[in-house]
Amino acid sequence: MSELKTLKKPPYFMIGILFFGAFVSFLNNSLMNVALPSIMADLGIEKYSTVQWLSTGYMLVSGILIPVSAFLLLKFTNRTLFIVAMSLFTLGTIVAAVAPSFGLLLTGRMIQAAGSSVMSPLLMNIMLISFPREKRGTAMGVFGLVMITAPALGPTLSGYIVEYHHWRLLFEMIIPFAILSLLLAVWKLENVMPTKKSSLDYTSVLLSSIGFGGMLYGFSAASSAGWSDITVYGTIAIGAVAIIAFVIRQFKLKEPLLNLTVYKYPMFALSSIISVVNAAAMFSGMILTPAYVQSVRGITPFDSGLMMLPGAIVMGIMSPITGKLFDKFGPRVLGFVGLSITTLTTYMLSHLQVDTSIGYIIFLYSARMFGISMVMMPLMTNGLNQLPTRLNPHGTAVNNTVQQVAGAIGTAIFITIMNSRAEKSAVEQMSGLDPATITAEVKAHISQLALLEGIQFTFVISAITSVVALLLTLFMKRVDVSEAAVAKLEKEDAAR
């Protein structure tokens, strides 16, 4: 096994190559949702639930492969891993760009996901070993710039392309950047991460695939099929059982696929829980705000994307700044202030009306993104700082896995709450009217008001969820990253 240590000098150029590749892959993740209706029309797909697989399938492959990333990071050199991952991503993008049928398009998306899924854990681990613990906040803040901003820019860019060009451009424009990233990696990428001989427990891989795949699919399908569908609760139940079996097995293995002993470190465990709640709250805003803007206000996808662009820019600007603030003030202050802003703005969004001004909507959404940007990377960095270097790959894999699952679960639950409240409101409004007076225009107006009430109520639930995360930040403590504390941590870990 190669030596575990922080590099004396960060390999900035190499990190730049990885950032570029990661930005391209992360951007692609969020390009699809706006384009799905256009793809349906172009490829003659009748059901939205079918074309939704372009997003669901991508998420499933990522959910299955992310838990395996800890093994991959230890087994293979970072150069080999990045080149293979970017090659797969490039191949998948080319296949999707030229796909004449839905089946081949879906295949391309899944190949993309296979390459993209390892990008975040790989980049995060290189950042962890490239910078000393006392400077990780700033470094991880810059990483957050890629991780958060790229997906946030996706809907705006996608909305413009779908409105003025063909949806295939979403893939075609990615190809040259993916190839450039691959060529730079072949030319300049060096090996800086430690490796060791590792064996893969195939039973754990199977349980992980069934567990996380089943949970992700079940909760994703719930938003369209409903919770009463046997496929939904059946796959969630099977996934839950498999995850329980997976967790039990990890504690019994000498070399677990995903080392869950990371949860024995209290600040990592706390930051992970807060990140889960925060991820669910963030995804609720990304779903509910477009639903309000497009379905209640009737604004086009491109214009709605432009309305959310300032929020993405705010998050991009704030990520490096919050990283520096973390290094100076620690996680508790940032977490409390950030979640206070998130909670307040989420509650204020629950008071949106049919005639709320566009400027006010943009201000609230941007302020909410500002609050979220103060929480995600600082808390995650503080949790990872408490782990011995040996557990870094497992810590990043756990974080990415739970956030992926939390995003899917949060989205499904919030959409279900919104739809249920809207349906109840519509029935109540219709019951008080004379059937003879119910015209098509009246039905449309009632549907609009019912959906608005559903969105308002769901934002209230999201605000309550944010309060839970806010209260948890009060228990957050700054991890001691002095040389003596780190040396003690590594010594205690080596003795186990």
Side-chain angles (χ1 to χ4, degrees):
M1 176 177 172
S2 55
E3 188 180 0
L4 289 167
K5 60 181 180 181
T6 302
L7 300 179
K8 291 182 179 179
K9 185 179 179 182
Y12 290 109
F13 185 73
M14 189 187 78
I15 290 174
I17 295 173
L18 294 172
F19 265 72
F20 183 65
F23 186 88
V24 171
S25 66
F26 291 168
L27 176 64
N28 186 264
N29 291 2
S30 60
L31 288 176
M32 273 293 97
N33 288 338
V34 177
L36 294 182
S38 298
I39 294 173
M40 284 181 69
D42 193 49
L43 298 181
I45 301 168
E46 295 181 359
K47 295 182 178 180
Y48 189 83
S49 58
T50 301
V51 77
Q52 181 67 29
W53 268 99
L54 293 175
S55 295
T56 305
Y58 192 102
M59 188 167 59
L60 278 175
V61 173
S62 297
I64 289 169
L65 289 179
I66 288 174
V68 185
S69 65
F71 165 78
L72 297 175
L73 289 168
L74 291 172
K75 179 72 173 179
F76 302 102
T77 64
N78 57 264
R79 185 176 189 274
T80 300
L81 203 53
F82 183 83
I83 290 174
V84 170
M86 187 50 73
S87 297
L88 283 172
F89 179 79
T90 305
L91 174 62
T93 306
I94 293 171
V95 170
V98 302
S101 65
F102 176 73
L104 200 57
L105 177 59
L106 180 60
T107 300
R109 283 288 287 169
M110 289 187 166
I111 296 172
Q112 275 188 320
S116 179
S117 61
V118 76
M119 293 289 186
S120 180
L122 175 61
L123 180 53
M124 193 177 291
N125 273 276
I126 287 181
M127 298 291 282
L128 290 176
I129 67 166
S130 296
F131 296 89
R133 293 174 191 249
E134 66 273 11
K135 294 182 179 179
R136 280 182 181 175
T138 302
M140 294 295 279
V142 177
F143 171 73
L145 174 65
V146 173
M147 183 177 170
I148 297 169
T149 308
L153 290 172
T156 306
L157 181 60
S158 181
Y160 171 79
I161 289 172
V162 169
E163 192 161 329
Y164 296 105
H165 302 278
H166 197 275
W167 61 264
R168 291 188 188 275
L169 185 60
L170 294 172
F171 298 103
E172 293 166 353
M173 70 177 184
I174 294 291
I175 294 172
F177 295 106
I179 292 175
L180 177 60
S181 177
L182 183 58
L183 293 175
L184 286 171
V186 172
W187 175 46
K188 276 291 185 180
L189 210 58
E190 299 175 1
N191 292 319
V192 297
M193 285 180 58
T195 58
K196 71 173 186 177
K197 291 182 180 180
S198 303
S199 58
L200 185 62
D201 181 57
Y202 293 101
T203 303
S204 292
V205 174
L206 179 62
L207 290 173
S208 170
S209 301
I210 295 172
F212 294 111
M215 292 285 282
L216 285 168
Y217 175 78
F219 279 103
S220 298
S223 59
S224 57
W227 294 97
S228 60
D229 190 292
I230 187 172
T231 305
V232 172
Y233 62 77
T235 51
I236 291 175
I238 292 170
V241 171
I243 287 176
I244 293 171
F246 172 79
V247 170
I248 293 172
R249 183 169 180 82
Q250 299 318 291
F251 284 111
K252 292 182 178 180
L253 291 174
K254 185 177 180 181
E255 289 188 15
L257 178 69
L258 205 58
N259 196 330
L260 299 178
T261 58
V262 290
Y263 280 109
K264 292 183 178 179
Y265 296 86
M267 287 305 103
F268 177 86
L270 185 58
S271 68
S272 181
I273 294 169
I274 296 173
S275 295
V276 165
V277 178
N278 200 47
M282 184 177 74
F283 274 90
S284 73
M286 290 182 173
I287 294 294
L288 297 172
T289 308
Y292 164 77
V293 171
Q294 293 179 37
S295 299
V296 176
R297 301 296 295 272
I299 296 172
T300 65
F302 174 52
D303 288 336
S304 68
L306 283 177
M307 289 175 64
M308 289 186 280
L309 184 59
I313 294 173
V314 166
M315 291 192 84
I317 293 172
M318 283 304 299
S319 285
I321 295 174
T322 53
K324 289 185 177 181
L325 292 174
F326 166 78
D327 286 337
K328 187 173 183 179
F329 298 108
R332 184 189 294 177
V333 173
L334 284 177
F336 186 82
V337 173
L339 280 164
S340 295
I341 295 171
T342 303
T343 302
L344 177 61
T345 52
T346 302
Y347 180 72
M348 292 172 73
L349 284 167
S350 71
H351 289 79
L352 292 174
Q353 302 297 327
V354 176
D355 57 351
T356 302
S357 70
I358 300 298
Y360 183 69
I361 298 167
I362 294 173
F363 168 76
L364 279 185
Y365 184 78
S366 301
R368 191 173 189 270
M369 292 296 103
F370 174 81
I372 289 173
S373 70
M374 296 182 69
V375 179
M376 293 184 66
M377 297 312 298
L379 265 62
M380 187 184 299
T381 304
N382 192 64
L384 290 169
N385 276 347
Q386 198 176 37
L387 299 182
T389 309
R390 175 182 64 88
L391 291 177
N392 279 344
H394 294 276
T396 55
V398 167
N399 272 334
N400 281 279
T401 301
V402 297
Q403 286 195 28
Q404 185 92 348
V405 174
I409 293 174
T411 300
I413 291 175
F414 285 123
I415 288 178
T416 301
I417 293 171
M418 179 185 72
N419 289 337
S420 298
R421 186 72 174 197
E423 289 173 6
K424 181 181 178 182
S425 176
V427 170
E428 290 175 351
Q429 292 181 63
M430 295 282 280
S431 64
L433 297 176
D434 182 354
T437 64
I438 301 177
T439 62
E441 290 79 7
V442 171
K443 284 184 178 179
H445 183 63
I446 288 175
S447 296
Q448 180 190 34
L449 294 179
L451 180 58
L452 175 60
E453 185 176 331
I455 292 170
Q456 291 171 336
F457 180 74
T458 310
F459 268 125
V460 172
I461 302 299
S462 180
I464 294 171
T465 305
S466 296
V467 169
V468 174
L470 174 64
L471 294 176
L472 288 174
T473 60
L474 298 176
F475 299 95
M476 182 66 67
K477 296 178 181 179
R478 186 170 190 164
V479 172
D480 187 354
V481 292
S482 63
E483 288 187 13
V486 173
K488 181 181 177 183
L489 174 68
E490 298 292 350
K491 184 178 180 181
E492 290 174 351
D493 181 63
R496 288 176 178 171

